Amino acid sequence: MTDTRIPAPADAHFLDQLRAATDRAAATAEPLSSAHAGAPEELLARAEAAIEAARGELLELSHDLHAHPEEGYAEHRSVRAVADLLARHGIEAQVGVHGLDTALRATVGSGEGPTVAVLAEYDALPGIGHGCGHNIICSSAVGAFLGLAAALATGEVAGTAVLLGTPAEEGGGGKELMARDGAFDGVDAVVMLHPFSYDSAVQPFLGRRQLRATYTGIAAHASAQPFMGRNALDAVVAGYNGIAMLRQHIPDTDRVHGVITDGGARPNVVPETAEALYYVRSATPETLADICRRVEAIAVAAAAMTGCGYELQWDQLPAYLPIRANLELAARWTAHQARRGRRALPPGVTPASLAGSTDLGNVSVRVPSIHPMIAIAGPETSMHTTDFAAAAASPAGDAAVLDGAVGLALTALDALADPAVLAAVREEFEAAGGVLDVAAFLG
């Protein structure tokens, strides 16, 4: 007998086709390359050796964070674990910086010359823990920072490395709040990574804004005097259906999805208040602005259709902009992943539809940045699932911590030690539009 409580399974054919198309594209793809020399081999080797020497501590940190997941802005144990590890290496870290209790900042190097920041995330998801693998992001960043500390201690390079612990990436927008407080002032380049189902030097990430639409109607008896009411739930449903019709007329990369957070209390009372929360995502800042205008028009029209009052609130938490990836830095990452036996795919190989959003986008329009992806599971394993959480503490996850730490450290060293690399990074950033005034753009 069929169990009617079980939902119909998703058809895997489209995912299989995506995987096959990616494999075909990867077979002939040319990796990103740089025309510049980068840091001297002896400095690269020194950083790599320091990371390998800290292998046990880095993996212990990754597994400790994984076993004790903490949600955004509550990562007190996690950030303390990072500070304690750094202290064992003689590096003082400040906790509670840039206006956030669980943000961290540590600095090594000469304090002169260029500055590269390595970013760590350590927040987890409710219910599934590190289903986005932030334990790997954090541990690889810490490892990269230790490698940079060892390389810069020689004094051969006049440069500075900063480790920034950035809270609440999962919806809280910690990086945007830190940026407003000056966390990235004076920083010349930013590097971080993310675990994924492919090794990819550049993966699209969409901008994301949040809209909370609250409607106010008039309560009435839903049977005896419905004509005296104005149904706030009808306004929500009208808006939801209007957005469903909008989806046919937006680019394939864009997304709008929402939930009804308040739909009334009882069927026999015309709902006086109702509310929906939407995420609006797009691939560029300009198209994000356009789709947000269209969604807002639908939300306003839903109120007019139903005779309800309305209040629209954008971005109770910071909006996320799309990532503007720096290809020169991504090419350096590609070379150093090859050193570790990994093949980082160039842009356009992995499906653009496999895209979420991250507050690193807000940093990438202020400072040249990369956010490469490192494989810890196959393409059948989706992020934000318990299966991905298991992969984040697996041997493949451990390998990503070490390979990623080396890749980040050596990429940062290239920017610090080779003026030609940094000049190419800056030139590319300026050609892509330079610094974007995030606050003005979001209005």
Side-chain angles (χ1 to χ4, degrees):
M1 182 176 179
T2 301
D3 188 341
T4 57
R5 297 170 299 175
I6 298 175
D11 191 315
H13 285 96
F14 182 65
L15 185 62
D16 292 341
Q17 291 169 3
L18 281 180
R19 183 184 303 117
T22 302
D23 290 344
R24 288 193 298 271
T28 58
E30 290 293 329
L32 290 172
S33 61
S34 169
H36 307 293
E41 174 57 32
E42 56 269 24
L43 276 182
L44 301 179
R46 184 180 180 93
E48 187 170 17
I51 293 166
E52 289 292 351
R55 167 190 290 261
E57 290 177 279
L58 296 175
L59 298 185
E60 181 181 1
L61 174 65
S62 178
H63 285 267
D64 181 60
L65 297 180
H66 191 275
H68 302 92
E70 297 174 304
E71 294 179 37
Y73 297 125
E75 315 100 319
H76 299 284
R77 187 185 188 282
S78 300
V79 72
R80 178 48 54 192
V82 173
D84 289 347
L85 189 156
L86 295 176
R88 292 195 295 272
H89 288 263
I91 300 171
E92 181 181 358
Q94 299 171 280
V95 174
V97 293
H98 301 298
L100 302 179
D101 290 345
T102 54
L104 175 144
R105 188 180 187 103
T107 304
V108 294
S110 66
E112 302 174 350
T115 298
V116 176
V118 185
L119 306 193
E121 297 172 2
Y122 29 71
D123 60 317
L125 292 159
I128 56 175
H130 280 289
C132 208
H134 290 194
N135 58 304
I136 293 173
I137 298 175
C138 178
S139 304
S140 61
V142 172
F145 187 67
L146 294 179
L148 287 166
L152 295 176
T154 67
E156 297 173 46
V157 175
T160 303
V162 178
L163 176 68
L164 288 174
T166 62
E169 185 276 334
E170 296 290 354
K175 294 182 190 62
E176 172 63 22
L177 299 180
M178 293 175 71
R180 295 176 193 174
D181 194 65
F184 300 97
D185 293 355
V187 174
D188 296 283
V190 165
V191 298
M192 67 170 292
L193 60 74
H194 200 294
F196 193 46
S197 49
Y198 293 97
D199 285 302
S200 180
V202 175
Q203 178 69 18
F205 273 76
L206 305 176
R208 189 211 70 198
R209 299 194 68 182
Q210 300 179 44
L211 173 63
R212 187 175 297 277
T214 304
Y215 296 95
T216 302
I218 299 173
H221 195 291
S223 179
Q225 291 181 310
F227 48 85
M228 296 301 294
R230 296 293 181 268
N231 194 319
L233 178 59
D234 282 351
V236 166
V237 171
Y240 193 94
N241 286 335
I243 287 170
M245 289 184 280
L246 172 68
R247 292 192 183 103
Q248 182 183 358
H249 306 288
I250 61 177
D252 290 344
T253 53
D254 290 5
R255 302 283 186 268
V256 186
H257 39 101
V259 293
I260 298 173
T261 56
D262 177 12
R266 294 182 63 87
N268 62 348
V269 179
V270 172
E272 185 175 17
T273 61
E275 184 178 88
L277 176 64
Y278 297 98
Y279 281 8
V280 184
R281 305 185 197 246
S282 192
T284 70
E286 295 77 14
T287 55
L288 179 63
D290 176 67
I291 195 172
C292 286
R293 286 190 291 268
R294 296 169 73 184
V295 166
E296 182 166 322
I298 291 170
V300 172
M305 290 170 62
T306 55
C308 291
Y310 68 92
E311 180 182 358
L312 305 182
Q313 184 174 26
W314 284 101
D315 305 321
Q316 287 178 291
L317 295 169
Y320 291 4
L321 292 179
I323 288 181
R324 183 201 291 170
N326 189 276
L327 298 185
E328 176 63 30
L329 289 173
R332 308 310 307 183
W333 163 268
T334 299
H336 299 313
Q337 285 300 277
R339 181 187 185 105
R340 300 291 293 188
R342 289 181 182 262
R343 182 169 177 253
L345 296 172
V349 175
T350 55
S353 59
L354 301 181
S357 304
T358 173
D359 55 2
L360 192 274
N362 298 41
V363 178
S364 72
V365 296
R366 289 176 164 102
V367 182
S369 304
I370 54 168
H371 188 274
M373 313 298 277
I374 191 164
I376 66 168
E380 72 283 351
T381 303
S382 172
M383 292 184 291
H384 288 206
T385 63
T386 54
D387 287 344
F388 201 84
S394 70
D398 293 347
V401 169
L402 299 170
D403 294 344
V406 171
L408 294 175
L410 274 51
T411 299
L413 271 177
D414 285 340
L416 293 172
D418 187 346
V421 170
L422 192 55
V425 167
R426 288 171 172 162
E427 181 180 359
E428 181 186 330
F429 181 75
E430 292 301 325
V435 176
L436 177 67
D437 186 334
V438 175
F441 177 81
L442 295 174

